[in-house]
């Protein structure tokens, strides 16, 4: 999973008291689902194949707030018989004298109205349904196992309206038309996975298919109106897929790879087996690609298909085996695209964040299940980078390959990985493990030393420093230093920006728009050229700063940007409306329409990011009245925790006034 923000994330998995995996092995689950859109319910006919490894008189599945009927069992190949069961404490217990080494099939019908893990939404007035199993528990919508340690082959089917798509894990094997525009759809998996990776999406989508070098079908889903956004959104997907297969050295383990954007997702993306679901906030056009693209999330969720899905951490203590690996391999894939400087700069940024976390007293051992996302993701990635530096590329790569081969479709802990590296390396790594993994403190000085040894760019970046302004600072902006170093100088001494500095890349120009907020006449016309940049962030910053600095020319700036919507959160459009409303002589007879448009963006049908922006602007203008207040009230019970948190805080603030 990849979070939007680095937050304190407590992820605990596999905290199971009854170790059911010791006596029963669930092999396969087939579910024929009925997704009831009107009542936000799911009903299903399910059968589970299982083997007993020890005798027992009862076994269970996790099933939160579900009702059951027609519960039956068959022993081996015999015919079915009624099965005694009880449904308590969010579990269904099947009672039967289960015998060691015997195979059974259990059948049942269930229905549920899930409060989490399965979400029913409306997007552009059409229904959209999607799931999120990690951290939310699949057992809210499909009777399954909260314990990650029993891996199952899941096959989902449904009957759907022909104009909608149903997408699930595995290969779409059946698509048979029935009467009345209905179609039966089935998906089948070949290999087992943990229950939290079970997923489905139901909605209006088109699809584009490519094939990897190794012959794996790559399916890119998109909303029917977004055909022009497919290329920028999914840019580099094939390259990254081919790169990771080669780099990891273990063939992609599933039948295909599907990626589906959904409305108002809880996170940035989620690595369900063979079916990554991601936030449609990452569906971008050509310009949006420059500001906030899907490349990193894309690579991260793809890397999880091996690290997380193929080998799964036994418990929260070893969570870094998923997030640290996904973060590091995503970074390697990005290095292949964006180059070495990009790679080292990101590693440097995480050293700085980790050392800041330690200084504020929030650092933890990497093996602490209560670690922050920063620790699991960035420190985890750093451990791999430092380890590779220590043992060498060849040893590291061989060890990763052996680790995956040995534990494929199973569960792992830290020692499983380390022992494979030690085997190849021929020496004990216990000192390394204590220092980099177990210790509370992150060894940031050593990390920094590694970077300085590996990259001349990092040395230059460290050298360029204008915290105390020197005569050199002007020179830095004139002559060749990296873009990152120039951005640093501009952030430290924005008054040094001269017309020549505008002749730099869009990254440097973006830094000017951000840090040069007092615009001297000498750079005015250059500054105005920022409004033409292919970056919605630059345009938003520049529009605001120009409007503030040159009151007499506000009409000019507003006219120039009146057709720009901006990023998926409508950043330029909303700023434009607010500035327009505050420019009395401009567009005078259109104010009410524009104000209504802004209010409209607080409505439920928009993404959380759009709504938060609109609420913030209305609050700033002290204009959050009836419609806005009623939308704010509704937002408090939204499925997205960011929306809820924001709505509660703003409500409280408004009441205090
Ligand atoms: Zn992740």
């Amino acid at each position: 999973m990849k979070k939007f923000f680095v937050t304190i994330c407590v992820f605990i998995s596999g905290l199971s008291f009854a170790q059911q995996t010791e006596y029963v092995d669930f092999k396969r689950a087939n579910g024929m689902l009925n997704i009831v859109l009107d009542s936000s319910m799911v009903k299903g006919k399910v059968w589970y194949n299982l083997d007993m490894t020890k005798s027992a008189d009862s076994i269970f599945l996790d099933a939160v707030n579900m009702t059951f009927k027609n519960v039956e069992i068959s022993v081996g190949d015999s015919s079915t018989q009624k099965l005694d069961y009880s449904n308590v404490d969010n579990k269904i217990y099947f009672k039967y004298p289960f015998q060691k080494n015997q195979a059974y099939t259990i059948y049942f019908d269930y229905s549920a109205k899930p409060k989490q893990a399965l979400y029913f939404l409306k997007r552009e007035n059409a229904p959209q349904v999607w799931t999120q199993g990690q951290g939310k528990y699949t057992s809210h919508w499909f009777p399954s196992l909260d314990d990650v340690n029993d891996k199952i082959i899941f096959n989902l089917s449904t009957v759907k309206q022909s104009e909608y798509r149903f997408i699930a894990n595995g290969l779409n094997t059946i698509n048979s038309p029935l009467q009345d525009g209905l179609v039966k759809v089935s998906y089948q998996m070949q290999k087992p996975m943990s229950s939290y990776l079970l997923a489905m999406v139901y909605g209006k989508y088109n699809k584009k298919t490519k094939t990897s070098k190794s012959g794996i079908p790559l399916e890119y889903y998109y909303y029917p109106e977004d055909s022009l956004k497919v290329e920028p959104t999914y840019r580099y997907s094939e390259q990254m897929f081919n790169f990771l297969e080669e780099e990891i050295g273990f063939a992609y383990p599933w039948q295909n790879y599907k990626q589906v954007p959904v409305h108002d997702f809880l996170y940035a993306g989620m690595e369900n087996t063979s079916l990554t679901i991601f936030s449609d906030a990452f569906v971008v056009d050509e310009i949006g690609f420059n500001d906030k693209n899907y490349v990193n999330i894309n690579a991260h969720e793809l890397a999880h298909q091996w690290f997380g899905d193929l080998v799964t951490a036994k418990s929260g203590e070893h969570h870094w085996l998923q997030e640290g690996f996904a973060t590091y391999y995503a970074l390697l894939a990005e290095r292949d695209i964006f180059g070495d400087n990009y790679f080292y700069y990101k590693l440097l940024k995480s050293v700085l964040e980790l050392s800041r976390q330690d200084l504020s007293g929030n650092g933890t051992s990497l093996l602490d299940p209560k670690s922050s996302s920063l620790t699991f993701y960035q420190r985890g990635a750093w451990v791999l980078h430092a380890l590779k530096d220590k043992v060498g590329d060849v040893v590291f790569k061989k060890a990763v390959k052996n680790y995956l081969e040995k534990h494929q479709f199973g569960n792992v802990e830290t020692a499983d990985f380390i022992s494979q590296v030690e085997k190849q390396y021929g020496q004990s790594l216990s000192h390394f493990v204590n220092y980099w993994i177990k210790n509370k403190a992150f060894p940031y000085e050593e990390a920094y030393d590694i970077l300085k040894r590996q990259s001349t760019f990092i040395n230059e970046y460290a050298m360029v420093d204008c915290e105390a302004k020197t005569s050199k600072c002007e020179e830095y902006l004139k002559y060749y230093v990296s873009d990152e170093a120039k951005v640093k100088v501009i952030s430290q001494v924005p008054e040094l920006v001269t017309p020549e500095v505008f002749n730099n890349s869009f990254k440097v120009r973006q830094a000017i728009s951000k840090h040069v907020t007092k615009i001297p006449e000498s750079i005015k016309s250059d500054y105005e050229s920022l409004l033409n940049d292919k970056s919605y962030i630059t345009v938003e910053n520049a529009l605001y700063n120009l409007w503030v600095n040159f009151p007499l020319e506000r009409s000019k700036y507003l006219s120039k940007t009146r057709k720009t919507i901006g990023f998926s959160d409508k950043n330029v459009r909303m700023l434009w409306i607010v500035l327009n409303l505050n420019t009395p002589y401009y567009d005078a007879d259109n104010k009410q329409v524009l104000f209504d448009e802004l209010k409209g963006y607080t409505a439920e049908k928009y993404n959380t990011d759009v709504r938060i922006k609109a609420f913030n602007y209305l609050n700033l203008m002290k204009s959050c009245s009836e419609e806005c207040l009623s939308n704010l009230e509704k937002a408090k019970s939204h499925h997205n925790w960011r929306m809820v948190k924001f709505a509660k805080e703003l409500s409280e603030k408004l009441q205090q006034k």
Side-chain angles (χ1 to χ4, degrees):
M1 184 160 42
K2 178 93 185 192
K3 310 235 171 219
F4 270 110
F5 303 113
V6 177
T7 50
I8 306 294
C9 147
V10 185
F11 179 75
I12 303 166
S13 64
L15 265 188
S16 50
F17 4 92
Q19 292 296 331
Q20 187 174 240
T21 47
E22 283 165 24
Y23 53 89
V24 55
D25 180 10
F26 286 91
K27 304 295 262 186
R28 191 182 296 267
N30 292 285
M32 178 70 202
L33 303 177
N34 177 8
I35 302 163
V36 192
L37 297 170
D38 299 340
S39 54
S40 303
M41 285 184 75
V42 58
K43 299 178 181 185
K45 266 192 182 314
V46 176
W47 58 108
Y48 264 96
N49 300 123
L50 57 100
D51 288 348
M52 295 303 291
T53 48
K54 286 181 189 164
S55 295
D57 49 18
S58 143
I59 60 173
F60 70 85
L61 289 169
D62 293 292
V64 181
N65 289 325
M66 290 182 179
T67 53
F68 290 87
K69 57 183 187 186
N70 304 328
V71 181
E72 294 181 322
I73 188 169
S74 69
V75 184
D77 297 328
S78 68
S79 58
T80 61
Q81 51 180 293
K82 256 192 161 356
L83 175 60
D84 191 18
Y85 72 98
S86 67
N87 184 3
V88 285
D89 296 337
N90 292 327
K91 285 182 167 52
I92 175 164
Y93 291 89
F94 304 102
K95 293 170 185 173
Y96 193 82
F98 292 100
Q99 298 299 312
K100 184 180 173 179
N101 295 334
Q102 177 65 55
Y104 298 87
T105 305
I106 287 173
Y107 307 83
F108 55 82
D109 296 351
Y110 80 98
S111 74
K113 191 177 165 71
K115 287 208 178 82
Q116 61 181 52
L118 175 67
Y119 302 91
F120 291 80
L121 292 91
K122 277 239 171 349
R123 188 190 164 274
E124 304 286 330
N125 295 321
Q128 189 183 85
V129 182
W130 47 261
T131 59
Q132 169 60 33
Q134 190 176 33
K136 297 287 170 193
Y137 298 114
T138 295
S139 56
H140 281 262
W141 66 272
F142 192 88
S144 51
L145 294 169
D146 293 348
D147 185 348
V148 301
N149 292 294
D150 193 349
K151 294 199 171 189
I152 301 168
I153 294 174
F154 286 96
N155 303 317
L156 294 184
S157 304
T158 196
V159 171
K160 63 166 187 76
Q161 297 282 344
S162 58
E163 69 267 34
Y164 289 89
R165 288 213 191 238
F166 172 78
I167 309 152
N169 312 85
L171 193 66
N172 180 197
T173 50
I174 297 174
N175 259 315
S176 42
L178 309 170
Q179 286 177 328
D180 305 325
L182 297 175
V183 182
K184 183 183 170 179
V185 193
S186 293
Y187 280 79
Q188 292 215 319
M189 292 191 71
Q190 281 174 334
K191 300 287 187 179
M193 64 176 181
S194 303
S195 297
Y196 78 91
L197 295 164
L198 185 66
M200 63 163 172
V201 180
Y202 183 92
K204 276 202 169 149
Y205 290 99
N206 288 353
K207 145 177 115 164
K208 188 167 183 165
T209 306
K210 298 266 180 175
T211 309
S212 76
K213 241 187 207 168
S214 57
I216 298 289
L218 311 174
E219 300 182 1
Y220 311 145
Y221 288 84
Y222 59 96
Y223 299 138
E225 69 273 20
D226 282 346
S227 59
L228 291 176
K229 295 182 180 170
V230 177
E231 191 286 318
T233 301
Y234 288 107
R235 193 172 294 169
Y236 304 126
S237 287
E238 272 172 271
Q239 182 180 340
M240 292 193 295
F241 193 97
N242 294 334
F243 172 83
L244 282 182
E245 268 206 309
E246 172 78 35
E247 179 67 28
I248 294 168
F250 186 101
Y252 176 78
W254 315 102
Q255 296 137 293
N256 57 20
Y257 187 52
K258 304 171 286 292
Q259 298 180 76
V260 189
V262 301
H263 184 59
D264 244 332
F265 195 47
L266 304 176
Y267 309 103
M270 175 65 205
E271 69 273 17
N272 311 294
T273 308
S274 80
L275 170 54
T276 284
I277 293 178
F278 67 100
S279 163
D280 63 11
F282 290 101
V283 174
V284 290
D285 62 15
E286 282 291 336
I287 300 175
F289 179 87
N290 296 328
D291 293 327
K292 187 183 178 188
N293 58 55
Y294 174 55
V295 175
N296 176 263
I297 313 296
N298 187 337
H300 179 103
E301 309 310 341
L302 175 59
H304 270 312
Q305 299 295 320
W306 287 266
F307 306 106
D309 298 4
L310 176 66
V311 295
T312 309
K314 276 182 185 158
S315 66
E317 201 185 336
H318 307 287
H319 192 46
W320 79 278
L321 292 175
Q322 297 176 187
E323 297 307 342
F325 273 77
T327 303
Y328 190 58
Y329 277 88
L331 203 49
L332 293 175
E334 286 185 292
R335 177 190 201 162
D336 185 53
I337 299 164
F338 302 122
D340 284 352
N341 290 2
Y342 177 92
F343 175 76
Y344 289 116
Y345 185 63
K346 278 191 109 172
L347 283 171
L348 174 67
K349 279 208 327 211
S350 58
V351 173
L352 297 176
E353 282 173 30
L354 285 162
S355 62
R356 239 176 269 139
Q357 179 179 254
D358 277 2
L359 281 174
S360 66
N362 295 319
T364 53
S365 156
L366 189 53
L367 300 182
D368 183 342
K370 290 185 180 152
S371 290
S372 67
S373 299
L374 181 65
T375 299
F376 281 135
Y377 290 60
Q378 304 301 339
R379 182 171 178 172
W382 251 107
V383 163
L384 297 175
H385 189 64
L387 184 58
K388 200 174 179 188
D389 181 60
K390 184 176 176 65
V391 303
D393 289 7
V394 176
V395 164
F396 183 86
K397 206 168 157 176
K398 187 89 180 75
V400 169
K401 185 173 185 236
N402 289 351
Y403 161 71
L404 291 174
E405 267 168 8
K406 181 164 182 204
H407 299 285
Q408 54 182 301
F409 308 106
N411 295 81
V412 283
E413 48 192 38
T414 303
D416 294 326
F417 171 61
I418 296 297
S419 68
Q420 290 299 330
V421 187
E422 284 176 332
K423 222 180 198 173
Q424 295 302 317
Y425 187 45
Q427 291 179 43
S428 162
L429 287 167
S430 61
H431 177 71
F432 179 94
V433 170
N434 283 331
Y435 200 61
W436 283 88
I437 299 179
K438 286 192 184 158
N439 266 3
K440 213 171 145 182
F442 173 71
Y444 63 90
E445 279 173 16
E446 284 73 6
Y448 194 36
D449 285 344
I450 292 174
L451 287 182
K452 283 198 288 192
R453 183 158 42 73
Q454 290 177 332
S455 161
T456 50
F457 157 75
I458 291 294
N459 287 298
E460 179 210 85
Y461 186 81
M463 183 196 75
V464 172
D465 199 332
C466 297
E467 204 60 78
K469 188 177 159 188
T470 67
S471 58
K472 271 193 173 169
C473 293
E474 255 167 277
E475 305 291 306
Y476 290 144
L477 289 178
K478 274 184 204 152
Y479 302 111
Y480 183 77
V481 291
S482 64
D483 283 357
E484 286 78 4
K486 281 182 183 158
V487 168
K488 187 172 169 187
V489 174
I490 292 169
S491 75
Q492 291 171 328
V493 273
E495 64 273 18
L496 288 185
V497 171
T498 57
E500 292 77 56
V501 185
F502 285 84
N503 297 329
N504 275 290
S505 73
F506 104 97
K507 243 192 249 169
V508 175
R509 288 169 63 90
Q510 189 168 82
I512 296 175
S513 79
K514 186 173 167 197
H515 299 289
V516 182
T517 52
K518 281 201 184 102
I519 310 170
E521 276 292 337
S522 60
I523 60 166
K524 182 178 167 221
S525 65
D526 294 292
Y527 207 103
E528 285 170 350
S529 73
L530 294 174
L531 291 176
N532 302 324
D533 274 24
K534 296 215 169 307
S535 157
Y536 293 131
I537 294 174
T538 305
V539 173
E540 181 187 2
N541 292 337
L543 172 61
Y544 179 76
N545 289 328
L546 287 164
W547 188 90
V548 170
N549 277 266
F550 305 107
L552 294 177
E553 300 191 47
R554 286 177 177 172
S555 303
K556 184 171 95 184
Y557 303 135
L558 288 170
S559 295
K560 193 164 168 49
T561 49
R562 73 176 304 143
K563 290 209 171 105
T564 312
I565 303 294
F567 201 57
S568 65
D569 64 1
K570 302 184 194 292
N571 64 327
V572 180
R573 179 65 185 168
M574 270 195 252
L575 173 67
W576 188 89
I577 293 176
V578 172
L579 295 181
N580 180 316
L581 293 174
N582 286 283
T583 310
Y585 55 86
Y586 183 74
D587 223 0
D589 46 358
N590 202 23
K591 303 284 187 208
Q592 189 59 46
V593 177
L594 289 172
F595 183 66
D596 290 345
E597 182 184 333
L598 183 62
K599 264 194 321 196
Y601 291 139
T602 62
E604 210 172 348
K605 67 175 179 176
Y606 291 102
N607 261 331
T608 297
D609 297 332
V610 174
R611 300 178 74 189
I612 289 181
K613 227 178 223 330
F615 280 125
N616 273 332
Y617 275 129
L618 287 163
N619 179 41
L620 211 65
M621 293 160 64
K622 299 195 175 19
S623 305
C624 186
S625 50
E626 280 167 45
E627 183 183 337
C628 167
L629 284 176
S630 130
N631 283 335
L632 189 63
E633 197 53 39
K634 279 185 227 152
K636 286 185 195 167
S637 54
H638 196 263
H639 68 269
N640 189 320
W641 60 272
R642 279 198 303 132
M643 184 79 256
V644 174
K645 184 166 177 275
F646 173 87
K648 284 184 176 164
E649 283 170 5
L650 181 58
S651 259
E652 229 166 80
K653 248 193 254 166
L654 288 172
Q655 274 160 14
Q656 281 165 6
K657 278 179 190 165

